[in-house]
């Protein structure tokens, strides 16, 4: 009798290995039969050429390995290393955010002359004063940049120079009026758009697909973090960008309000680093959740179905159809998980 094929890895390839027990002898009257009968399960004839059997097995293996989900695949998706990577990248992200926030707070603490009110009405007024000074400083920087830009456009004809200067002023003023949360959201959307534009280049399309989408069968863990910057298409990019711009500021405002109004509050000039760390951590955890579902639910089902289908020897056309009927484990990409975390 035949034992189902086993899936294991050797030298970077997925290999199907068939283990068999001693086959019973058959009568010479059935020498012409090549395959098991679906109904009677008649075994191979003892006189069947071993070369033919090996050729059929190699052809079966070749057809299975041609499936996209098995190319360069690991023998089994791991979960310990992805979990460890997520914990490290999340801890490092929040650590960097706390360090940068403290540095900015100390910087603006020295620039702000603040006299606390006699009767505080709630909230951390010193944090509000530092944040207001930060926004004014941003406006002064853009005003200086606009003055320099006007000097460079003197050579342009007056009819065109007015339109160019006004366009620059409109964009600069709109950017100055943005809150820190909205500004961080626009910067993230700029990163999403940059990755998508690079993916439109034919020579870089393969790199973008590998580096900015997480495939649970690839064995890579860095894509748990980078997959949140990639998107499957223009519609996917547009929906996520619109949602992040709309709801990202709410998450930033919630984080800042809880930080500066907590009973054991600390002075904090800006909160953009905390929001950025939260967004990136949420995107990484979302990719990890998808990875765990694929490793512990989808992958065992896939292997069980393939093993069951390979238990009986069938024609190669039927084998190809059986493999094609198995649901594939698709890569995950996009910032949807991080945006949903902002909504929660």
């Amino acid at each position: 009798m035949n034992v189902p094929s086993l899936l294991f890895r050797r030298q970077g390839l997925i290999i199907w290995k068939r283990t068999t027990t001693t086959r019973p002898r058959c009568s010479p009257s059935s020498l012409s039969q090549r395959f098991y009968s679906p109904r009677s399960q008649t075994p191979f004839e003892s006189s069947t050429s071993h070369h033919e059997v090996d050729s059929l097995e190699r052809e079966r293996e070749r057809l299975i390995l041609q499936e996209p989900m098995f190319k360069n695949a690991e023998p089994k998706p791991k979960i310990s290393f992805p979990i460890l990577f997520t914990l490290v990248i999340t801890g490092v992200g929040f650590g960097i955010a706390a360090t940068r926030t403290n540095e900015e707070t100390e910087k603006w603490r020295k620039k702000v002359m603040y006299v606390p009110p006699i009767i505080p009405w709630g909230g951390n007024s010193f944090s509000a004063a530092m944040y207001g000074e930060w926004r004014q400083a941003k406006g002064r920087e853009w005003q200086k940049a606009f003055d320099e830009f006007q000097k460079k456009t003197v050579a342009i004809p007056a009819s065109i120079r007015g339109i160019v200067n006004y366009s620059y002023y409109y964009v600069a003023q709109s950017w100055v009026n943005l809150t820190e949360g909205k500004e961080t959201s626009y910067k993230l959307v700029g990163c999403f758009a940059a990755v998508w534009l690079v993916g439109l280049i034919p020579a870089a399309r393969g790199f973008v697909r590998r580096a900015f989408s997480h495939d649970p069968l690839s064995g890579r863990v860095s894509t748990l973090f980078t997959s949140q910057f990639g998107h499957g298409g223009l519609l996917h990019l547009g929906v996520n960008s619109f949602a992040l711009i709309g709801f990202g500021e709410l998450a930033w405002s919630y984080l800042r309000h809880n930080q500066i109004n907590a009973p054991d509050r600390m002075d904090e000039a800006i909160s953009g680093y905390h929001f950025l760390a939260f967004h990136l951590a949420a995107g990484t955890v979302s990719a990890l959740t998808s990875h765990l579902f694929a490793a512990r639910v989808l992958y065992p089902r896939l292997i069980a179905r393939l093993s069951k289908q390979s238990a009986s020897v069938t024609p190669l056309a039927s084998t190809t159809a059986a493999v094609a009927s198995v649901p594939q484990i698709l890569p995950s990409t996009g910032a949807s998980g991080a945006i949903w975390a902002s909504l929660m």
Side-chain angles (χ1 to χ4, degrees):
M1 61 179 297
N2 288 328
V3 180
S5 301
L6 301 178
L7 185 64
F8 67 101
R9 186 184 185 191
R10 178 178 295 173
Q11 297 180 354
L13 295 176
I14 299 298
I15 302 176
W16 288 87
K17 180 180 179 182
R18 178 173 299 280
T19 57
T20 59
T21 57
T22 304
R23 297 168 180 168
R25 294 186 177 181
C26 303
S27 61
S29 60
S30 58
L31 292 177
S32 60
Q33 187 173 0
R34 296 182 57 187
F35 301 102
Y36 288 118
S37 172
R39 297 181 180 178
S40 61
Q41 295 295 320
T42 305
F44 275 107
E45 297 301 329
S46 60
S47 60
T48 303
S49 171
H50 290 287
H51 177 70
E52 290 187 12
V53 176
D54 294 340
S55 299
L56 291 173
E57 291 298 329
R58 286 195 298 269
E59 182 65 15
R60 182 195 299 275
E61 175 184 323
R62 185 187 67 81
L63 291 173
I64 292 176
L65 291 177
Q66 284 180 350
E67 293 301 312
M69 59 181 170
F70 288 125
K71 291 185 178 180
N72 301 322
E74 289 290 328
K76 184 178 181 180
K78 298 179 177 60
I79 63 172
S80 57
F81 194 48
I83 292 176
L84 178 62
F85 174 83
T86 302
L87 293 176
V88 170
I89 201 70
T90 301
V92 170
F94 279 108
I96 294 175
T99 302
R100 292 293 298 147
T101 300
N102 291 337
E103 292 176 353
E104 289 292 327
T105 301
E106 292 300 321
K107 170 185 174 182
W108 294 106
R109 189 193 301 274
K110 299 175 181 178
K111 296 183 178 181
V112 174
M113 298 298 297
Y114 173 71
V115 178
I118 300 176
I119 303 177
W121 294 98
N124 195 335
S125 300
F126 192 36
S127 296
M130 289 189 292
Y131 178 69
E133 181 63 24
W134 173 81
R135 296 197 63 177
Q136 292 181 10
K138 184 174 70 169
R140 291 192 294 268
E141 291 178 0
W142 277 99
Q143 182 62 48
K144 182 179 179 181
F146 178 68
D147 294 338
E148 294 294 332
F149 180 79
Q150 284 183 312
K151 295 178 181 178
K152 296 179 181 179
T153 58
V154 174
I156 300 178
S159 57
I160 302 177
R161 185 170 66 247
I163 299 176
V164 173
N165 290 339
Y166 177 78
S167 300
Y168 184 92
Y169 175 81
Y170 180 81
V171 173
Q173 187 62 42
S174 300
W175 184 262
V176 170
N177 292 337
L178 294 178
T179 62
E180 187 189 15
K182 186 79 75 174
E183 179 180 331
T184 305
S185 299
Y186 273 109
K187 289 179 180 178
L188 287 171
V189 170
C191 294
F192 301 160
V195 172
W196 181 75
L197 290 176
V198 173
L200 297 180
I201 304 175
R205 193 168 299 162
F207 166 76
V208 171
R209 187 179 296 111
R210 291 190 303 270
F212 295 97
S213 63
H214 179 69
D215 186 359
L217 300 180
S218 66
R220 297 188 299 268
V221 296
S222 59
T223 52
L224 289 170
F225 175 78
T226 60
S227 60
Q228 59 188 304
F229 295 97
H231 289 82
L234 183 59
L235 179 61
H236 189 197
L237 172 65
V239 171
N240 277 357
S241 299
F242 179 80
L244 178 59
I245 293 174
F247 299 108
E249 185 179 14
L250 297 178
W252 167 85
S253 179
Y254 177 80
L255 293 173
R256 178 170 177 81
H257 176 79
N258 287 346
Q259 176 66 25
I260 66 177
N261 294 304
D264 54 345
R265 59 179 178 262
M266 298 176 59
D267 295 334
E268 185 173 280
I270 58 178
S271 304
Y273 291 111
H274 286 165
F275 168 66
L276 180 61
F278 167 79
H279 177 89
L280 298 179
T284 306
V285 172
S286 174
L288 175 65
T289 304
S290 176
H291 177 91
L292 295 179
F293 180 77
R296 285 294 178 261
V297 179
L298 297 182
Y299 187 82
R301 292 180 181 176
L302 184 148
I303 296 302
R305 184 176 298 183
L306 286 178
S307 299
K308 181 178 180 181
Q309 291 174 349
S310 62
S312 60
V313 181
T314 56
L316 295 177
S318 301
T319 301
T320 305
V323 173
S325 64
V326 176
Q328 296 188 6
I329 299 179
L330 300 177
S332 60
T333 184
S336 302
I339 296 173
W340 273 106
S342 300
L343 289 176
M344 301 300 290

